[in-house]
Amino acid sequence: MDKIALCGMEDECLSEIEANGTRLDVTATGEHYLFHSNYHTGIIYRLEHIFERRGSRMRMAHLLLEKMREEGINFEEIQTLIGIRCRGLELASELQHFPELEHTRLLFIDRNREGELVFRSGFFLKDNEQVFIFDDLAMTYATFRTAIRLVYTAYPNACIIGFASFIDRSPPTIISPRQFAPAFKYACGLRLPSYIYDPESKDGCPYCKLG
């Protein structure tokens, strides 16, 4: 797919996100938001509204598939897709509808009652099975790091090819996947950088200061 067509897909997905009220902005709502790890931010994306509709999920999955292709990811090497939580699972499931990934298995990891990521009962990986991990949104990549540790702890002989998110919101100050995981492939459908603030830090949160 050429750059013009890819940009058109990006614009279509962004327009759909805006139209569905998925993007919440402090300038419009007057409220800022708590992100995980106690960070504050001025914009969040509620992707459950997009993932409610099959057509929307397919468009988001198609964009991510093309971004994976752009990153040089060999689809034939991938044997199993792993979805993180419900929306990561939905995203990976939609990707299986495309010919490039219809040969794959699909596994699911989710949080237990203690908030820890675990494989759902009955799921397993074979020795040397080549997997790719998916989540709907990334900010600090902490969930991906935890998922990677989980896979290698439970299945030391598994082979993780890489991981991908539909929206990458990581701030410029966050270490990128190419830095902390250079051996893995990484792709994202949309790159929408954010700014996050630690209210306990020296500078604090500017939104909290406004009251």
Side-chain angles (χ1 to χ4, degrees), residues 3-157:
K3 287 286 186 182
I4 295 177
L6 194 57
C7 287
M9 291 180 67
E10 291 179 347
D11 291 342
E12 182 180 9
C13 288
L14 280 171
S15 296
E16 190 162 0
I17 287 172
E18 296 287 347
N20 280 278
T22 299
R23 183 180 188 270
L24 300 180
D25 190 327
V26 63
T27 58
T29 65
E31 299 179 351
H32 66 290
Y33 309 96
L34 175 66
F35 196 72
H36 71 75
S37 303
N38 201 38
Y39 289 112
H40 291 192
T41 185
I43 298 173
I44 61 170
Y45 290 87
R46 301 293 299 274
L47 293 181
E48 59 267 27
H49 300 304
I50 287 290
F51 280 74
E52 288 173 350
R53 297 174 175 81
R54 172 77 195 287
S56 298
R57 292 198 305 269
M58 286 295 290
R59 282 186 286 278
M60 307 304 158
H62 190 191
L63 174 59
L64 183 55
L65 182 83
E66 295 303 329
K67 289 298 188 75
M68 291 172 68
R69 195 192 314 276
E70 187 179 48
E71 291 295 330
I73 293 166
N74 186 339
F75 298 117
E76 293 181 359
E77 291 181 350
I78 302 173
Q79 296 173 304
T80 299
L81 313 181
I82 297 179
I84 301 176
R85 298 168 300 191
C86 291
R87 287 188 291 280
L89 176 65
E90 290 172 334
L91 184 61
S93 177
E94 293 299 339
L95 283 163
Q96 283 187 308
H97 286 84
F98 294 94
E100 293 89 339
L101 292 171
E102 63 183 0
H103 64 279
T104 60
R105 294 199 303 140
L106 176 59
L107 305 187
F108 177 39
I109 59 178
D110 199 2
R111 297 195 184 278
N112 60 18
R113 292 180 179 179
E114 289 72 40
E116 302 169 331
L117 283 180
V118 296
F119 276 99
R120 279 310 186 191
S121 177
F123 290 146
F124 66 93
L125 291 173
K126 304 172 185 176
D127 284 350
N128 301 313
E129 192 161 2
Q130 301 191 85
V131 305
F132 211 96
I133 302 172
F134 295 90
D135 202 0
D136 62 329
L137 188 145
M139 179 81 85
T140 64
Y141 308 111
T143 303
F144 278 125
R145 293 173 192 255
T146 302
I148 290 168
R149 284 196 298 271
L150 171 65
V151 170
Y152 280 138
T153 298
Y155 302 99
N157 294 323

